[in-house]
Amino acid sequence: MAVVAYNAPQSVEEAIDLLATLSATSAATSAATSSATSAATSLATSTTRARLMAGGTDLIIQTKSQSTEPVLVVDLKHIAEMMSCDLGAAGLSLGPSMCCAEFTAQAGVRDVYPGLVEAADLIGSTQVQGRASIGGNLCNSSPAADTIPALIAVGAQCLIVSAKGERTVAVEDFVTGVGRNCLQPGELLKRILIHRPAAGSRDAYLRFIPRTEMDIAVAGAGVSVTLDQQGICTAARVAIGAVAPTALLVAQAAAALVGTRLDEAAVAAAGAAAAAAASPITDRRGTADYRRQIVAVLVKRATNIAKQRAQASL
Amino acid sequence: MSEAQNFKYIGRNTIRPDGFDKVTGRANYGADLTLPGMLWGKILRSPHAHANIKRLDTSKAEALAGVHAVATFADFSAVGDEAIEGGEGSSTLLDLARNILARDKVLYHGHAVVAIAAKTAAIAEQALALVEIDYEILTPVLDVRTAMAADAPLLHNDLYTQNGADKATTPSNVAARHEFKMGDVAAGFAAAEIIVEREFYTPTAHQGYIEPHACTVRFDKDGQSMVWCSTQGHFDVRASTARLLGMELGKLKVIASEIGGGFGGKTTVYLEPVALILSRKSGRPVKMVMNRDEVFKATGPGSASRSWIKLGAKKDGTITAMQGSLAYEAGAFKGSPVMMGCMTAFTPYAVPNMLIEGFDVVVNKAKVAAYRAPGAPQAEFAVEMLVNELALKLGRDPIDLRLQNAAKEGTQTIYGPKLKRVGLVECLEAARDSKHYQQALAANQGRGVAAGFWFNVGGQSSVTINMNPDGTGTIVEGSPDIGGSRASMQMMAAEALGIAPALLKPIIGDTENVAFSAGTGGSRTTFATGMAVIEAAEDVVRQMKQRAASMWNVTAEQVDWVDGVAVNTAGEDRLSLASICAGADRTGGQISGRGNINARGAGPSFAVHVCDVAVDQETGKVDIVRYTAVQDAGKAIHPAYVEGQFQGGAVQGIGWALNEEYVYGASGLLENAGFLDYRIPVASDLPMIDAIIVEVPNNFHPYGVRGVGESGIIPPLAAVGYAVENAIGAAVTDLPLSPPRVLQLVQDRG
Amino acid sequence: MAKLHISTSINGEATEFLCEPHATLLDVLRNDLQLTGTKEGCGSGDCGACSVTVDGRLTCACLVLGVEAQGREIGTIEGVGSSDKLSVIQEKFLEHAALQCGICTPGLIVSTQALLQQNPDPSEEQARYFLAGNLCRCTGYDKIIRAVLDAAATLRAEQQGAA
């Protein structure tokens, strides 16, 4: 890919108009893309593909690869609505292009969604966090994305807009494959919506990397648990990353936790269920067997952290 | 020299003279020079690990608008198969040329094939995509074991094993076999009451300097050609480049830019001759800068190794015999540092019976280059692991056992000479007495101790000190400053002249304004170039005395030099250096001092490291909890930068031990050519590294200096390796101790 | 491809440049504006040698398109300290011998400045994690971290003195 043109719409409407005028004739291979026609923009040629850019930490690297396919970059950081973050009584409404460093510094989010903040805090270096966004992490749809399991654990929803209107998709249904998601040509991820957790409900995210920083997750686990006053787990969501083509919501792992006091046996069972659900690959970052073992450990440890937080929130 | 010299400047932590430029961004590195009319050069690299080039057609690329020149191996067709000196490894000119641009075969993933210079980097890249190459893919050879097998595919049909004086008659991937021995190992093992032996593996590891290779060059037909580049040895760049292009040395000026790390990896040439060919063809200056992917794929990493070591000892701890066999990957062309491995492996020990052999083996990976104490870490890792095992089995403290068997002054080495005065015992004692060594370990923690030996080298260095009328001066030296050596040159000159260091400005001359100097490597700069600096300063003092003598009508012998002032011993006269310089126009012109030497007597530097680790037994992750690096500096000219060498070496070694390795797929393609997946240590991976400087003077240097740059990377492999072994209670054989490997060890232990 | 005209501010100085859409901010700084203090170690955001600030936020110049500089405030190493006086951070890097080859130093100084603006009293661990994206292969980080913590203490003392 080679960036041949750049456009920075100032509003969601302008972005949608731009995307709508780009022909949807060639099905995009990456979901955050559309085909551009020369009519759409004087900058682009008929073979130019549009790529939506938030932080650009993945996109700019991808455009440096050898392929010379021309690309129109649509920069989504000039749209105020996509850069804001609102935490209210109902929950969180997050502009997908807000950079992780800004998100993690937002008042209150660390108390309410500690696991999601942990995940956003883990993406790359301080420098990368100054650019990379949760929406970008989601739309890049890497199996190893840190925020995706964390978003699934807290039941996040994607608010998607296009010229045709709006629709809402759960994060676990948003990503459809390695680097693929359900965004259709002309569509835009406008907001990420998360309900406010009740008292007794909190999340945690852990990932495993060989170093302490700067690596891509070998495996990741986002866990959210809800405890009643007696300390019984009444609800749980367990999501795992980097162990399958997409992050997985593991119902069997949650089932192992619900109804228990999150004792050692229950937590170990949740870990085992997560390992069983994983279908990891072997690559330069870890073997399939190793990933399977590690994801069980991460689910166990993340559950214990979430449990402590949930207890503290009661 | 006397045991305890009283120094006025030596041993102080001065502010480095090049510091201002480096903290403000003004310092110019390899990629920082732009010339008017400059073209950008880019290289097309092999997508295969091993293939014959059946057809190569650059015509479409040449036809692209904006393309000015194309280079291939054909431009080296006059190069002969002659041996070359320089750098820290052995090679031939033809191998060098074939590594820079592939001839008829590509021998590793990323091997350069075609270079193109164009108006912009983007056009050059577009042109590379137009080059047509037909490859016949061959089976890659990726490991010494497969390479040494009788039926292995051959990289070179004309490579025959050199075994001592004998040369094999059938071609092989084994370029050479070396053997060193003394005493009678069979008798030594027969006398032993306890024997330990093990096989070990260390992976390919890259120097990982942050600055990629870069150069800007200009070929001029009138003989004013110049190369600006990031290198550890610009005289070596000149020699290699001039010979490859058939130029006279006097017609090629090489300017050493500031250098952003090298660790041995910038002792050879990759881009410079290619850029100069492109400039010669285009008539325009050419700039070439590697990207990080190219650095990992196509510049020399350190050798991967397989080794077998066997030690025998008596129950009282006396080691009676040491034996080993080493096989090092050379990469695509012969010249691994396995001989250095053979020479260093056993040298920390005074043992009468030793035997070691080493194999230099070609494989389909990038040609290795020197990497900090080249060859030593791999071999000494294996030996030090076993010395720790021996200590465990004998119920002895590992430092105590080493003290019992430590090499010292007069110890016979396996490679020839007896050791002169060395500081291993002092380093072991300092490690034993350190606060670290007294601290108790917590659960899941382990401790490792290891020693390291490196020879250090001397060699040629040239220095001129040019005085100014106001009493300031310029020290012109020829050793690229890779880690602060200008500060130590300044201090040594100041000490010899008796004036404040800040009055002297050290600069790195180019190949035209200072005489030949060997590169910055072998821990030689502070030792050898330092000796040349002192000699030049003494030359200045000699002339200062003569000028004063002539003004006072006495003989030079009647003039003393005290703290930068000429003193008439036959009267009351005093003349400061500044006043002699100010009046030099009346006494014969301004003063220059010269020191052109071939330094002998480099003193080995021994190091001893102690490492504590914590192991997460569920994930296999290893954390460094405490780390202490002890090393003999002889005399620390600038202690803070000496500590920095210990700490930097330690951390490179920690990276090698824990996470760094080249990962190849089955087809021989490198899968982790970037800092994301070639995992060098980051700040949060580490504790403070306690550095303890031991000073056992090297009597061959006026101030007692030993080189300190390299030994520090040797002990960490076994200090970390054995700490893990100690923590998990399972034998460690292979590096790196990445989490999956450690978890496997924990689980196999049961 | 057409070049775009960009108006920006670099180290407080209004600056204009023409840039191709694919050029990164790092390319522009180094090759078009000759601000070579910002170094390129990897081009992929993995080494931190090109650390700069964009509207005060730390990032890698190789992860920013040049065109994105439009209307922004860019801060580079050339804007740290003044022509006659080094900043405290620069001085402490020199005093502590926190550099050897110096290629990572501009990026580390820019990053340290960002750290201390955000957190004037970082613990050793906080400093190490904040700076984990700035690779240094020479020093083993020991003296860098000491310089950072000393600079923090010195700046705090200066603030108190001024208050």
Side-chain angles (χ1 to χ4, degrees):
Chain A
M1 283 186 291
V3 181
V4 297
Y6 170 86
N7 196 312
Q10 302 294 309
S11 67
V12 170
E13 293 69 29
E14 196 186 319
I16 291 169
D17 283 350
L18 175 64
L19 294 179
T21 51
L22 303 173
S23 161
T25 48
S26 84
T29 52
S30 176
T33 65
S34 332
S35 284
T37 63
S38 54
T41 161
S42 59
L43 299 170
T45 68
S46 59
T47 56
T48 303
R49 257 193 341 149
R51 293 290 309 257
L52 303 178
M53 180 173 84
T57 53
D58 290 307
L59 181 65
I60 291 174
I61 305 304
Q62 289 161 13
T63 62
K64 287 181 183 172
S65 66
Q66 290 297 311
S67 156
T68 53
E69 177 197 30
V71 163
L72 160 68
V73 166
V74 180
D75 185 353
L76 300 173
K77 290 191 296 299
H78 291 259
I79 302 171
E81 195 180 353
M82 296 189 69
M83 294 293 283
S84 66
C85 175
D86 304 304
L87 178 64
L92 179 73
S93 170
L94 173 65
S97 299
M98 173 184 274
C99 75
C100 290
E102 194 172 351
F103 170 70
T104 57
Q106 294 285 307
V109 292
R110 196 177 287 269
D111 294 333
V112 184
Y113 307 103
L116 179 59
V117 171
E118 280 163 345
D121 236 347
L122 287 172
I123 296 180
S125 59
T126 312
Q127 288 87 337
V128 168
Q129 286 166 27
R131 292 275 292 172
S133 65
I134 293 181
N137 199 224
L138 186 48
C139 291
N140 188 55
S141 303
S142 158
D146 285 305
T147 61
I148 297 178
L151 286 166
I152 294 174
V154 294
Q157 302 279 319
C158 303
L159 179 60
I160 296 166
V161 294
S162 70
K164 293 177 213 154
E166 292 189 347
R167 64 184 179 119
T168 304
V169 176
V171 170
E172 57 268 32
D173 300 324
F174 180 85
V175 182
T176 53
V178 177
R180 293 207 309 269
N181 57 50
C182 72
L183 283 180
Q184 298 300 309
E187 283 191 325
L188 192 65
L189 174 65
K190 182 179 162 187
R191 298 295 279 186
I192 296 166
L193 307 170
I194 312 174
H195 284 298
R196 192 175 188 99
S201 179
R202 282 298 180 272
D203 65 327
Y205 176 77
L206 286 177
R207 71 164 180 197
F208 184 82
I209 55 172
R211 291 181 291 189
T212 51
E213 277 281 356
M214 303 304 292
D215 294 328
I216 303 291
V218 174
V223 177
S224 147
V225 297
T226 305
L227 302 180
D228 66 14
Q229 293 292 342
Q230 284 70 49
I232 306 291
C233 176
T234 58
R237 287 172 70 87
V238 176
I240 53 179
V243 290
T246 67
L248 300 176
L249 176 64
V250 186
Q252 300 87 330
L257 299 175
V258 172
T260 75
R261 293 181 174 277
L262 302 181
D263 52 281
E264 207 173 308
V267 172
S279 54
I281 58 163
T282 293
D283 69 4
R284 63 194 177 280
R285 291 169 187 154
T287 62
D289 182 51
Y290 182 72
R291 287 189 149 112
R292 205 186 293 278
Q293 296 186 56
I294 290 305
V295 82
V297 174
L298 293 175
V299 165
K300 192 175 73 177
R301 291 179 180 180
T303 304
N304 286 331
I305 295 168
K307 173 187 171 184
Q308 283 173 12
R309 289 173 176 165
Q311 284 167 341
S313 76
L314 278 168
Chain B
M1 57 159 285
S2 63
E3 255 320 77
Q5 301 187 65
N6 286 321
F7 293 113
K8 193 163 181 188
Y9 303 112
I10 302 295
R12 290 201 206 169
N13 287 327
T14 57
I15 299 295
R16 61 195 284 168
D18 54 322
F20 184 88
D21 283 354
K22 287 187 172 152
V23 298
T24 56
R26 294 179 193 191
N28 288 312
Y29 290 79
D32 293 345
L33 180 69
T34 296
L35 292 177
M38 187 182 84
L39 306 174
W40 288 82
K42 294 278 173 188
I43 288 183
L44 184 67
R45 297 180 180 278
S46 169
H48 308 295
H50 194 189
N52 287 321
I53 299 172
K54 304 302 284 184
R55 185 180 72 94
L56 172 60
D57 182 350
T58 59
S59 55
K60 286 181 185 154
E62 286 172 64
L64 184 71
V67 170
H68 287 254
V70 175
T72 66
F73 182 83
D75 294 293
F76 289 134
S77 53
V79 168
D81 196 8
E82 50 198 301
I84 49 168
E85 299 298 315
E88 289 182 70
S90 64
S91 191
T92 69
L93 201 61
L94 185 59
D95 280 358
L96 183 64
R98 290 181 62 193
N99 192 38
I100 291 170
L101 286 169
R103 188 177 61 183
D104 44 359
K105 262 186 130 178
V106 288
L107 293 157
Y108 53 93
H109 182 207
H111 195 166
V113 184
V114 177
I116 294 180
K119 194 179 164 199
T120 67
I123 294 172
E125 274 170 9
Q126 283 170 33
L128 293 181
L130 299 174
V131 174
E132 294 173 4
I133 306 177
D134 292 343
Y135 289 106
E136 177 194 14
I137 297 174
L138 305 170
T139 305
V141 179
L142 297 171
D143 169 273
V144 292
R145 282 187 187 151
T146 41
M148 292 169 84
D151 58 347
L154 293 175
L155 272 74
H156 306 283
N157 289 325
D158 56 352
L159 184 64
Y160 302 89
T161 308
Q162 190 79 42
N163 188 353
D166 303 332
K167 194 164 193 172
T169 52
T170 52
S172 160
N173 291 322
V174 179
R177 178 184 175 277
H178 306 281
E179 183 180 293
F180 293 85
K181 62 180 166 186
M182 62 185 202
D184 180 345
V185 282
F189 283 118
E193 293 164 299
I194 177 168
I195 287 175
V196 292
E197 66 178 305
R198 217 188 279 185
E199 287 183 40
F200 296 92
Y201 170 77
T202 64
T204 303
H206 197 274
Q207 297 84 350
Y209 34 80
I210 307 300
E211 180 202 28
H213 298 255
C215 64
T216 298
V217 312
R218 191 188 60 223
F219 185 91
D220 283 343
K221 293 204 164 33
D222 68 351
Q224 306 298 314
S225 297
M226 77 99 182
V227 169
W228 158 281
C229 64
S230 173
T231 178
Q232 293 175 239
H234 46 316
F235 289 89
D236 294 332
V237 171
R238 182 181 67 168
S240 302
T241 306
R243 286 177 72 180
L244 286 167
L245 272 78
M247 299 168 73
E248 292 170 26
L249 294 180
K251 292 190 172 169
L252 179 60
K253 167 162 74 178
V254 180
I255 307 165
S257 70
E258 293 296 337
I259 174 171
F263 315 105
K266 290 179 183 162
T267 55
T268 183
V269 289
Y270 300 101
L271 299 176
E272 294 84 355
V274 177
L276 209 55
I277 288 168
L278 292 170
S279 179
R280 185 170 67 185
K281 288 183 157 183
S282 64
R284 302 268 290 268
V286 173
K287 178 171 184 162
M288 297 185 80
V289 181
M290 282 195 195
N291 62 32
R292 181 54 53 183
D293 181 78
E294 292 178 290
V295 172
F296 276 113
K297 280 180 182 156
T299 70
S303 291
S305 74
R306 290 195 182 276
S307 54
W308 165 79
I309 300 288
K310 179 178 174 184
L311 308 181
K314 290 184 181 291
K315 281 182 182 157
D316 70 359
T318 308
I319 301 175
T320 56
M322 305 181 104
Q323 188 179 351
S325 177
L326 313 174
Y328 282 23
E329 293 179 6
F333 299 94
K334 70 183 181 189
S336 79
V338 70
M339 191 162 76
M340 311 283 227
C342 293
M343 292 161 77
T344 52
F346 302 142
T347 301
Y349 301 94
V351 174
N353 307 304
M354 295 177 173
L355 171 62
I356 194 163
E357 64 174 353
F359 298 91
D360 181 26
V361 185
V362 295
V363 294
N364 289 114
K365 297 183 182 178
K367 166 75 168 72
V368 301
Y371 181 16
R372 207 168 195 159
Q378 296 95 325
E380 297 191 53
F381 159 64
V383 175
E384 294 299 306
M385 288 296 288
L386 286 183
V387 171
N388 286 326
E389 185 186 342
L390 204 53
L392 180 76
K393 290 195 164 154
L394 291 168
R396 292 282 298 276
D397 174 272
I399 293 183
D400 190 39
L401 180 68
R402 284 178 171 85
L403 278 167
Q404 182 182 345
N405 292 283
K408 45 182 82 76
E409 186 169 5
T411 297
Q412 176 64 49
T413 65
I414 198 170
Y415 57 90
K418 288 192 162 102
L419 290 176
K420 305 287 191 297
R421 193 162 172 217
V422 290
L424 175 58
V425 166
E426 290 82 350
C427 287
L428 287 164
E429 289 170 348
R432 180 194 62 201
D433 299 340
S434 67
K435 242 193 255 172
H436 176 169
Y437 206 63
Q438 313 305 324
Q439 282 188 277
L441 294 171
N444 291 322
Q445 294 189 350
R447 176 169 294 162
V449 174
F453 160 78
W454 182 249
F455 321 87
N456 295 333
V457 305
Q460 294 183 68
S461 282
S462 303
V463 170
T464 308
I465 299 178
N466 297 322
M467 300 309 299
N468 298 316
D470 64 354
T472 61
T474 309
I475 305 163
V476 188
E477 49 151 330
S479 302
D481 178 359
I482 204 162
S485 60
R486 269 171 291 206
S488 65
M489 299 307 145
Q490 187 189 45
M491 292 164 79
M492 285 186 274
E495 193 73 44
L497 291 171
I499 61 173
L503 295 172
L504 294 161
K505 179 181 180 182
I507 66 164
I508 314 303
D510 64 43
T511 53
E512 289 180 347
N513 52 34
V514 64
F516 180 86
S517 295
T520 293
S523 301
R524 63 176 298 277
T525 299
T526 304
F527 169 72
T529 306
M531 280 170 79
V533 164
I534 295 164
E535 187 161 310
E538 286 170 348
D539 188 23
V540 169
V541 169
R542 201 155 42 239
Q543 295 174 58
M544 292 279 171
K545 288 182 184 174
Q546 283 167 357
R547 302 298 178 92
S550 72
M551 289 170 81
W552 296 330
N553 271 323
V554 298
T555 65
E557 289 69 34
Q558 289 173 295
V559 179
D560 269 356
W561 188 257
V562 182
D563 286 343
V565 176
V567 176
N568 185 356
T569 57
E572 296 299 306
D573 307 299
R574 299 280 187 277
L575 265 177
S576 70
L577 175 142
S579 51
I580 296 171
C581 289
D585 56 338
R586 298 187 301 277
T587 58
Q590 199 44 266
I591 293 167
S592 284
R594 201 166 60 83
N596 295 24
I597 65 167
N598 189 355
R600 306 283 177 206
S605 179
F606 279 94
V608 175
H609 290 194
V610 183
C611 173
D612 294 355
V613 300
V615 178
D616 181 334
Q617 308 240 358
E618 282 188 315
T619 63
K621 187 164 182 168
V622 176
D623 284 328
I624 306 293
V625 180
R626 285 178 214 94
Y627 203 97
T628 300
V630 187
Q631 193 176 324
D632 178 13
K635 175 67 198 173
I637 301 297
H638 191 297
Y641 283 108
V642 168
E643 289 173 358
Q645 289 296 321
F646 297 4
Q647 292 162 335
V651 169
Q652 278 189 318
I654 289 169
W656 203 341
L658 286 184
N659 277 308
E660 293 181 32
E661 62 176 325
Y662 272 32
V663 179
Y664 290 92
S667 58
L669 304 189
L670 182 61
E671 295 184 346
N672 61 336
F675 279 135
L676 188 61
D677 288 301
Y678 184 87
R679 304 182 188 99
I680 75 172
V682 301
S684 49
D685 291 343
L686 297 157
M688 293 296 185
I689 307 294
D690 290 338
I692 299 176
I693 300 174
V694 166
E695 294 186 325
V696 175
N698 168 21
N699 293 335
F700 293 88
H701 184 280
Y703 301 151
V705 166
R706 298 174 192 275
V708 295
E710 289 166 292
S711 304
I713 199 175
I714 302 166
L717 280 63
V720 175
Y722 193 76
V724 172
E725 179 163 323
N726 181 232
I728 65 175
V732 163
T733 57
D734 291 12
L735 297 182
L737 290 161
S738 57
R741 178 165 282 139
V742 173
L743 187 63
Q744 192 69 52
L745 289 171
V746 168
Q747 292 173 343
D748 290 350
R749 174 200 66 197
Chain C
M1 62 195 91
K3 285 190 174 182
L4 301 171
H5 177 266
I6 304 299
S7 300
T8 186
S9 163
I10 298 181
N11 300 323
E13 190 174 342
T15 304
E16 296 179 50
F17 58 84
L18 291 174
C19 114
E20 290 181 338
H22 67 82
T24 63
L25 177 59
L26 179 59
D27 296 332
V28 170
L29 290 172
R30 289 183 52 80
N31 299 333
D32 298 314
L33 303 175
Q34 299 298 314
L35 292 170
T36 55
T38 304
K39 303 301 181 190
E40 177 160 7
C42 69
S44 55
D46 296 312
C47 79
C50 67
S51 295
V52 296
T53 56
V54 177
D55 285 350
R57 194 175 290 290
L58 184 69
T59 190
C60 289
C62 71
L63 295 179
V64 179
L65 293 175
V67 295
E68 291 186 74
Q70 174 66 38
R72 307 289 188 194
E73 299 267 345
I74 310 296
T76 73
I77 183 65
E78 286 87 355
V80 178
S82 64
S83 56
D84 55 342
K85 181 145 177 52
L86 295 176
S87 73
V88 167
I89 295 168
Q90 289 168 317
E91 282 176 353
K92 291 300 173 189
F93 267 65
L94 291 177
E95 271 178 36
H96 286 269
L99 55 145
Q100 287 178 27
C101 81
I103 195 83
C104 70
T105 308
L108 267 158
I109 286 172
V110 169
S111 295
T112 301
Q113 186 166 275
L115 165 65
L116 299 187
Q117 272 165 10
Q118 183 181 316
N119 179 359
D121 190 9
S123 66
E124 180 190 331
E125 188 182 29
Q126 286 170 330
R128 286 184 180 276
Y129 274 87
F130 190 96
L131 298 173
N134 289 89
L135 301 183
C136 168
R137 191 60 158 172
C138 293
T139 65
Y141 304 104
D142 182 298
K143 294 185 188 303
I144 291 172
I145 298 300
R146 289 179 200 278
V148 170
L149 297 179
D150 189 11
T154 304
L155 287 166
R156 288 198 307 276
E158 280 183 9
Q159 287 266 304
Q160 281 177 348

